[in-house]
Amino acid sequence: MQRFCLTLKMRPDPVLMEEYVQRHAAVWPEILESIRAAGVTGMQIFRDGYRMVMIMETTDDFTMERKAEMDRANPVVMRWESEMAKYQQSDPGADASAKWLPMEKIFDLQTS
């Protein structure tokens, strides 16, 4: 198993933030299926104000590149991502597909 931690900035608008939370209370079944098909075995999203943190557990052979490739080939995923873009904020100069940015692990209790 692999674990990834990613972060995302949201647009600082309380109405949009509430809509985003509601959209994630009813994620489309096709999106859930595509996430699992890519090798994601667990996913949680946490919120701190307008910053989101995602924890993903994946199969050993999972790669972000392969998931991105699968996403680009899936019109339903592309529609979902297009709809989510109104809530999300990308860093200046970042590729639009790189909204969720990986975090660097600096401590692990199991290895300390």
Side-chain angles (χ1 to χ4, degrees):
M1 179 188 82
Q2 300 181 77
R3 180 172 293 134
F4 296 87
C5 184
L6 303 113
T7 186
L8 169 75
K9 293 178 188 172
M10 303 298 291
R11 297 186 191 281
D13 179 317
V15 172
L16 289 178
M17 189 71 239
E18 183 56 32
E19 285 179 22
Y20 187 80
V21 170
Q22 292 303 313
R23 295 291 304 269
H24 281 78
V27 175
W28 302 341
E30 299 91 344
I31 299 303
L32 300 174
E33 181 181 316
S34 77
I35 291 169
R36 291 180 179 114
V40 178
T41 59
M43 177 185 285
Q44 301 84 39
I45 299 176
F46 299 88
R47 172 185 170 193
D48 178 22
Y50 295 106
R51 177 169 299 279
M52 310 301 276
V53 173
M54 178 193 302
I55 309 292
M56 288 192 328
E57 293 89 22
T58 70
T59 57
D60 288 336
D61 62 344
F62 173 89
T63 68
M64 292 291 220
E65 295 79 15
R66 190 176 83 227
K67 181 176 182 326
E69 188 176 300
M70 291 173 71
D71 290 350
R72 284 190 298 273
N74 185 325
V76 176
V77 171
M78 296 311 296
R79 192 170 104 226
W80 173 267
E81 289 300 326
S82 176
E83 291 186 22
M84 293 302 106
K86 83 176 194 178
Y87 309 107
Q88 302 166 339
Q89 188 173 304
S90 297
D91 285 336
D95 181 324
S97 67
K99 295 175 281 191
W100 284 97
L101 301 174
M103 298 182 77
E104 177 186 3
K105 180 169 51 171
I106 63 166
F107 175 79
D108 188 333
L109 180 62
Q110 292 181 347
T111 59
S112 294

